[in-house]
Amino acid sequence: MDKETIKRIINEFIDDVDEIVDFSISDDYEEIDASTLDEEVKIRKPTGLTNIFIQTYKER
């Protein structure tokens, strides 16, 4: 999908609700275990994906 279509869909959705209850944006990471016998090492590498969460309320 192209950006303009997504923008339109999100705008129409938000305009149709009474209240935004919660909103967050978070990047997705891949966790790589690079541990050895001597130490524990976790490497977090961005996947390039981003999650957007919008929780809304609409009185019915």
Side-chain angles (χ1 to χ4, degrees):
M1 249 185 219
D2 65 283
K3 288 168 125 180
E4 293 305 315
T5 301
I6 295 298
K7 287 179 189 178
R8 183 178 47 77
I9 291 169
I10 291 172
N11 282 332
E12 288 174 3
F13 175 76
I14 290 174
D15 287 344
D16 192 46
V17 300
D18 295 326
E19 183 180 347
I20 304 292
V21 177
D22 193 14
F23 175 79
S24 67
I25 299 175
S26 61
D27 290 329
D28 192 37
Y29 289 90
E30 174 184 11
E31 192 169 276
I32 301 167
D33 186 356
S35 299
T36 64
L37 293 175
D38 297 328
E39 65 179 321
E40 184 176 323
V41 178
K42 304 281 185 188
I43 300 170
R44 295 187 69 200
K45 178 180 162 187
T47 64
L49 299 174
T50 302
N51 298 305
I52 300 174
F53 174 79
I54 304 171
Q55 185 175 25
T56 63
Y57 171 78
K58 181 172 181 159
E59 192 169 315
R60 303 216 180 235

